[in-house]
PDB file of all heavy atoms in Angstrom:
ATOM      1  N   THR A   1     163.259 180.088 193.000  1.00  0.00           N
ATOM      2  CA  THR A   1     164.543 180.516 193.564  1.00  0.00           C
ATOM      3  C   THR A   1     164.605 180.303 195.074  1.00  0.00           C
ATOM      4  O   THR A   1     165.665 180.442 195.683  1.00  0.00           O
ATOM      5  CB  THR A   1     164.805 181.996 193.252  1.00  0.00           C
ATOM      6  OG1 THR A   1     163.715 182.778 193.774  1.00  0.00           O
ATOM      7  CG2 THR A   1     164.915 182.225 191.753  1.00  0.00           C
ATOM      8  N   ALA A   2     163.479 179.948 195.686  1.00  0.00           N
ATOM      9  CA  ALA A   2     163.446 179.733 197.134  1.00  0.00           C
ATOM     10  C   ALA A   2     164.048 178.396 197.535  1.00  0.00           C
ATOM     11  O   ALA A   2     164.317 178.162 198.714  1.00  0.00           O
ATOM     12  CB  ALA A   2     162.008 179.812 197.640  1.00  0.00           C
ATOM     13  N   VAL A   3     164.263 177.520 196.548  1.00  0.00           N
ATOM     14  CA  VAL A   3     164.794 176.192 196.858  1.00  0.00           C
ATOM     15  C   VAL A   3     165.945 175.850 195.905  1.00  0.00           C
ATOM     16  O   VAL A   3     166.127 176.478 194.867  1.00  0.00           O
ATOM     17  CB  VAL A   3     163.707 175.102 196.733  1.00  0.00           C
ATOM     18  CG1 VAL A   3     162.602 175.325 197.750  1.00  0.00           C
ATOM     19  CG2 VAL A   3     163.139 175.055 195.323  1.00  0.00           C
ATOM     20  N   GLN A   4     166.692 174.834 196.304  1.00  0.00           N
ATOM     21  CA  GLN A   4     167.786 174.345 195.487  1.00  0.00           C
ATOM     22  C   GLN A   4     167.493 172.895 195.118  1.00  0.00           C
ATOM     23  O   GLN A   4     167.117 172.092 195.980  1.00  0.00           O
ATOM     24  CB  GLN A   4     169.112 174.442 196.257  1.00  0.00           C
ATOM     25  CG  GLN A   4     170.311 173.915 195.485  1.00  0.00           C
ATOM     26  CD  GLN A   4     171.583 173.958 196.320  1.00  0.00           C
ATOM     27  OE1 GLN A   4     171.572 174.419 197.459  1.00  0.00           O
ATOM     28  NE2 GLN A   4     172.674 173.472 195.753  1.00  0.00           N
ATOM     29  N   LEU A   5     167.654 172.567 193.851  1.00  0.00           N
ATOM     30  CA  LEU A   5     167.402 171.201 193.408  1.00  0.00           C
ATOM     31  C   LEU A   5     168.561 170.305 193.827  1.00  0.00           C
ATOM     32  O   LEU A   5     169.723 170.583 193.520  1.00  0.00           O
ATOM     33  CB  LEU A   5     167.233 171.165 191.887  1.00  0.00           C
ATOM     34  CG  LEU A   5     166.710 169.849 191.303  1.00  0.00           C
ATOM     35  CD1 LEU A   5     165.279 169.601 191.754  1.00  0.00           C
ATOM     36  CD2 LEU A   5     166.786 169.878 189.782  1.00  0.00           C
ATOM     37  N   LEU A   6     168.248 169.240 194.541  1.00  0.00           N
ATOM     38  CA  LEU A   6     169.262 168.287 194.992  1.00  0.00           C
ATOM     39  C   LEU A   6     169.331 167.157 193.964  1.00  0.00           C
ATOM     40  O   LEU A   6     168.507 166.248 193.966  1.00  0.00           O
ATOM     41  CB  LEU A   6     168.898 167.739 196.377  1.00  0.00           C
ATOM     42  CG  LEU A   6     169.885 166.752 197.012  1.00  0.00           C
ATOM     43  CD1 LEU A   6     171.257 167.376 197.175  1.00  0.00           C
ATOM     44  CD2 LEU A   6     169.350 166.253 198.346  1.00  0.00           C
ATOM     45  N   GLU A   7     170.308 167.230 193.082  1.00  0.00           N
ATOM     46  CA  GLU A   7     170.430 166.226 192.023  1.00  0.00           C
ATOM     47  C   GLU A   7     171.220 165.010 192.483  1.00  0.00           C
ATOM     48  O   GLU A   7     170.946 163.891 192.071  1.00  0.00           O
ATOM     49  CB  GLU A   7     171.085 166.853 190.791  1.00  0.00           C
ATOM     50  CG  GLU A   7     170.254 167.996 190.203  1.00  0.00           C
ATOM     51  CD  GLU A   7     170.904 168.624 188.990  1.00  0.00           C
ATOM     52  OE1 GLU A   7     170.672 168.103 187.885  1.00  0.00           O
ATOM     53  OE2 GLU A   7     171.638 169.622 189.153  1.00  0.00           O
ATOM     54  N   ASN A   8     172.205 165.222 193.341  1.00  0.00           N
ATOM     55  CA  ASN A   8     173.020 164.106 193.827  1.00  0.00           C
ATOM     56  C   ASN A   8     172.469 163.621 195.169  1.00  0.00           C
ATOM     57  O   ASN A   8     173.154 163.628 196.187  1.00  0.00           O
ATOM     58  CB  ASN A   8     174.481 164.525 193.957  1.00  0.00           C
ATOM     59  CG  ASN A   8     175.405 163.335 194.128  1.00  0.00           C
ATOM     60  OD1 ASN A   8     175.071 162.218 193.735  1.00  0.00           O
ATOM     61  ND2 ASN A   8     176.564 163.558 194.723  1.00  0.00           N
ATOM     62  N   TYR A   9     171.203 163.204 195.150  1.00  0.00           N
ATOM     63  CA  TYR A   9     170.533 162.737 196.357  1.00  0.00           C
ATOM     64  C   TYR A   9     171.064 161.352 196.748  1.00  0.00           C
ATOM     65  O   TYR A   9     171.719 160.659 195.952  1.00  0.00           O
ATOM     66  CB  TYR A   9     169.027 162.666 196.121  1.00  0.00           C
ATOM     67  CG  TYR A   9     168.646 161.818 194.923  1.00  0.00           C
ATOM     68  CD1 TYR A   9     168.467 160.443 195.055  1.00  0.00           C
ATOM     69  CD2 TYR A   9     168.481 162.397 193.665  1.00  0.00           C
ATOM     70  CE1 TYR A   9     168.136 159.663 193.961  1.00  0.00           C
ATOM     71  CE2 TYR A   9     168.155 161.622 192.564  1.00  0.00           C
ATOM     72  CZ  TYR A   9     167.988 160.263 192.711  1.00  0.00           C
ATOM     73  OH  TYR A   9     167.670 159.480 191.630  1.00  0.00           O
ATOM     74  N   GLU A  10     170.765 160.946 197.978  1.00  0.00           N
ATOM     75  CA  GLU A  10     171.175 159.630 198.459  1.00  0.00           C
ATOM     76  C   GLU A  10     170.001 158.657 198.450  1.00  0.00           C
ATOM     77  O   GLU A  10     168.861 159.033 198.715  1.00  0.00           O
ATOM     78  CB  GLU A  10     171.765 159.724 199.863  1.00  0.00           C
ATOM     79  CG  GLU A  10     173.130 160.387 199.899  1.00  0.00           C
ATOM     80  CD  GLU A  10     173.859 160.128 201.203  1.00  0.00           C
ATOM     81  OE1 GLU A  10     173.231 159.572 202.147  1.00  0.00           O
ATOM     82  OE2 GLU A  10     175.044 160.475 201.278  1.00  0.00           O
ATOM     83  N   SER A  11     170.304 157.425 198.126  1.00  0.00           N
ATOM     84  CA  SER A  11     169.294 156.369 198.111  1.00  0.00           C
ATOM     85  C   SER A  11     170.012 155.034 198.220  1.00  0.00           C
ATOM     86  O   SER A  11     171.236 154.957 198.066  1.00  0.00           O
ATOM     87  CB  SER A  11     168.482 156.423 196.811  1.00  0.00           C
ATOM     88  OG  SER A  11     167.545 155.360 196.746  1.00  0.00           O
ATOM     89  N   ARG A  12     169.261 153.993 198.478  1.00  0.00           N
ATOM     90  CA  ARG A  12     169.775 152.649 198.302  1.00  0.00           C
ATOM     91  C   ARG A  12     169.515 152.228 196.861  1.00  0.00           C
ATOM     92  O   ARG A  12     168.549 152.682 196.233  1.00  0.00           O
ATOM     93  CB  ARG A  12     169.119 151.677 199.277  1.00  0.00           C
ATOM     94  CG  ARG A  12     169.538 151.915 200.721  1.00  0.00           C
ATOM     95  CD  ARG A  12     168.884 150.935 201.669  1.00  0.00           C
ATOM     96  NE  ARG A  12     169.363 151.146 203.030  1.00  0.00           N
ATOM     97  CZ  ARG A  12     168.927 150.467 204.078  1.00  0.00           C
ATOM     98  NH1 ARG A  12     167.996 149.543 203.923  1.00  0.00           N
ATOM     99  NH2 ARG A  12     169.411 150.714 205.288  1.00  0.00           N
ATOM    100  N   PHE A  13     170.335 151.353 196.344  1.00  0.00           N
ATOM    101  CA  PHE A  13     170.203 150.913 194.960  1.00  0.00           C
ATOM    102  C   PHE A  13     170.364 149.402 194.864  1.00  0.00           C
ATOM    103  O   PHE A  13     171.031 148.776 195.707  1.00  0.00           O
ATOM    104  CB  PHE A  13     171.259 151.583 194.075  1.00  0.00           C
ATOM    105  CG  PHE A  13     171.066 153.062 193.907  1.00  0.00           C
ATOM    106  CD1 PHE A  13     171.627 153.958 194.803  1.00  0.00           C
ATOM    107  CD2 PHE A  13     170.312 153.571 192.852  1.00  0.00           C
ATOM    108  CE1 PHE A  13     171.444 155.320 194.655  1.00  0.00           C
ATOM    109  CE2 PHE A  13     170.130 154.928 192.695  1.00  0.00           C
ATOM    110  CZ  PHE A  13     170.692 155.807 193.601  1.00  0.00           C
ATOM    111  N   CYS A  14     169.754 148.845 193.814  1.00  0.00           N
ATOM    112  CA  CYS A  14     169.899 147.429 193.503  1.00  0.00           C
ATOM    113  C   CYS A  14     170.360 147.319 192.054  1.00  0.00           C
ATOM    114  O   CYS A  14     169.658 147.770 191.139  1.00  0.00           O
ATOM    115  CB  CYS A  14     168.578 146.686 193.703  1.00  0.00           C
ATOM    116  SG  CYS A  14     168.690 144.901 193.392  1.00  0.00           S
ATOM    117  N   ALA A  15     171.548 146.750 191.851  1.00  0.00           N
ATOM    118  CA  ALA A  15     172.104 146.618 190.506  1.00  0.00           C
ATOM    119  C   ALA A  15     172.255 145.143 190.158  1.00  0.00           C
ATOM    120  O   ALA A  15     172.660 144.334 191.008  1.00  0.00           O
ATOM    121  CB  ALA A  15     173.453 147.321 190.415  1.00  0.00           C
ATOM    122  N   ARG A  16     171.947 144.799 188.915  1.00  0.00           N
ATOM    123  CA  ARG A  16     172.121 143.431 188.448  1.00  0.00           C
ATOM    124  C   ARG A  16     173.167 143.405 187.342  1.00  0.00           C
ATOM    125  O   ARG A  16     173.059 144.147 186.351  1.00  0.00           O
ATOM    126  CB  ARG A  16     170.801 142.844 187.955  1.00  0.00           C
ATOM    127  CG  ARG A  16     170.866 141.337 187.725  1.00  0.00           C
ATOM    128  CD  ARG A  16     169.552 140.741 187.265  1.00  0.00           C
ATOM    129  NE  ARG A  16     169.295 141.059 185.875  1.00  0.00           N
ATOM    130  CZ  ARG A  16     168.337 141.841 185.447  1.00  0.00           C
ATOM    131  NH1 ARG A  16     167.540 142.417 186.320  1.00  0.00           N
ATOM    132  NH2 ARG A  16     168.160 142.058 184.155  1.00  0.00           N
ATOM    133  N   LEU A  17     174.172 142.552 187.501  1.00  0.00           N
ATOM    134  CA  LEU A  17     175.273 142.475 186.553  1.00  0.00           C
ATOM    135  C   LEU A  17     175.333 141.090 185.917  1.00  0.00           C
ATOM    136  O   LEU A  17     175.091 140.081 186.584  1.00  0.00           O
ATOM    137  CB  LEU A  17     176.618 142.733 187.252  1.00  0.00           C
ATOM    138  CG  LEU A  17     176.749 143.936 188.185  1.00  0.00           C
ATOM    139  CD1 LEU A  17     178.152 143.975 188.764  1.00  0.00           C
ATOM    140  CD2 LEU A  17     176.430 145.226 187.455  1.00  0.00           C
ATOM    141  N   LEU A  18     175.695 141.043 184.649  1.00  0.00           N
ATOM    142  CA  LEU A  18     176.055 139.790 183.978  1.00  0.00           C
ATOM    143  C   LEU A  18     177.574 139.766 183.918  1.00  0.00           C
ATOM    144  O   LEU A  18     178.197 140.671 183.337  1.00  0.00           O
ATOM    145  CB  LEU A  18     175.454 139.730 182.579  1.00  0.00           C
ATOM    146  CG  LEU A  18     175.736 138.450 181.777  1.00  0.00           C
ATOM    147  CD1 LEU A  18     175.093 137.234 182.445  1.00  0.00           C
ATOM    148  CD2 LEU A  18     175.253 138.599 180.335  1.00  0.00           C
ATOM    149  N   VAL A  19     178.177 138.765 184.562  1.00  0.00           N
ATOM    150  CA  VAL A  19     179.632 138.750 184.719  1.00  0.00           C
ATOM    151  C   VAL A  19     180.200 137.394 184.313  1.00  0.00           C
ATOM    152  O   VAL A  19     179.482 136.388 184.194  1.00  0.00           O
ATOM    153  CB  VAL A  19     180.030 139.053 186.178  1.00  0.00           C
ATOM    154  CG1 VAL A  19     179.512 140.409 186.612  1.00  0.00           C
ATOM    155  CG2 VAL A  19     179.533 137.962 187.128  1.00  0.00           C
ATOM    156  N   GLU A  20     181.504 137.372 184.129  1.00  0.00           N
ATOM    157  CA  GLU A  20     182.215 136.124 183.899  1.00  0.00           C
ATOM    158  C   GLU A  20     182.147 135.275 185.174  1.00  0.00           C
ATOM    159  O   GLU A  20     182.325 135.787 186.286  1.00  0.00           O
ATOM    160  CB  GLU A  20     183.672 136.430 183.551  1.00  0.00           C
ATOM    161  CG  GLU A  20     184.518 135.202 183.270  1.00  0.00           C
ATOM    162  CD  GLU A  20     185.972 135.554 183.020  1.00  0.00           C
ATOM    163  OE1 GLU A  20     186.306 136.762 183.051  1.00  0.00           O
ATOM    164  OE2 GLU A  20     186.771 134.621 182.817  1.00  0.00           O
ATOM    165  N   ASP A  21     181.879 133.996 185.019  1.00  0.00           N
ATOM    166  CA  ASP A  21     181.797 133.099 186.165  1.00  0.00           C
ATOM    167  C   ASP A  21     183.203 132.608 186.492  1.00  0.00           C
ATOM    168  O   ASP A  21     183.639 131.522 186.079  1.00  0.00           O
ATOM    169  CB  ASP A  21     180.872 131.924 185.835  1.00  0.00           C
ATOM    170  CG  ASP A  21     180.525 131.101 187.072  1.00  0.00           C
ATOM    171  OD1 ASP A  21     180.919 131.514 188.182  1.00  0.00           O
ATOM    172  OD2 ASP A  21     179.865 130.056 186.929  1.00  0.00           O
ATOM    173  N   ALA A  22     183.922 133.454 187.252  1.00  0.00           N
ATOM    174  CA  ALA A  22     185.322 133.158 187.541  1.00  0.00           C
ATOM    175  C   ALA A  22     185.699 133.744 188.895  1.00  0.00           C
ATOM    176  O   ALA A  22     185.064 134.697 189.371  1.00  0.00           O
ATOM    177  CB  ALA A  22     186.227 133.736 186.445  1.00  0.00           C
ATOM    178  N   PRO A  23     186.739 133.212 189.535  1.00  0.00           N
ATOM    179  CA  PRO A  23     187.186 133.764 190.819  1.00  0.00           C
ATOM    180  C   PRO A  23     187.654 135.213 190.665  1.00  0.00           C
ATOM    181  O   PRO A  23     188.194 135.602 189.634  1.00  0.00           O
ATOM    182  CB  PRO A  23     188.365 132.845 191.213  1.00  0.00           C
ATOM    183  CG  PRO A  23     188.154 131.595 190.434  1.00  0.00           C
ATOM    184  CD  PRO A  23     187.513 132.008 189.144  1.00  0.00           C
ATOM    185  N   GLY A  24     187.417 136.029 191.706  1.00  0.00           N
ATOM    186  CA  GLY A  24     187.917 137.398 191.738  1.00  0.00           C
ATOM    187  C   GLY A  24     186.999 138.438 191.142  1.00  0.00           C
ATOM    188  O   GLY A  24     187.267 139.648 191.249  1.00  0.00           O
ATOM    189  N   VAL A  25     185.915 138.000 190.510  1.00  0.00           N
ATOM    190  CA  VAL A  25     185.010 138.965 189.876  1.00  0.00           C
ATOM    191  C   VAL A  25     184.366 139.879 190.923  1.00  0.00           C
ATOM    192  O   VAL A  25     184.358 141.105 190.781  1.00  0.00           O
ATOM    193  CB  VAL A  25     183.927 138.239 189.052  1.00  0.00           C
ATOM    194  CG1 VAL A  25     182.872 139.241 188.574  1.00  0.00           C
ATOM    195  CG2 VAL A  25     184.551 137.531 187.861  1.00  0.00           C
TER     196      VAL A  25
END
């Protein structure tokens, strides 16, 4: 009870997407 769990912490992230090969994506 002396601390609070920080679930929505901040970090950098790396995401990989498979997308349609088209303009505007």
Side-chain angles (χ1 to χ4, degrees):
T1 57
V3 296
Q4 178 183 358
L5 191 66
L6 182 59
E7 298 180 87
N8 194 24
Y9 55 87
E10 289 196 351
S11 177
R12 291 180 177 177
F13 292 89
C14 182
R16 192 179 75 247
L17 312 179
L18 181 65
V19 301
E20 181 184 359
D21 191 6
V25 171

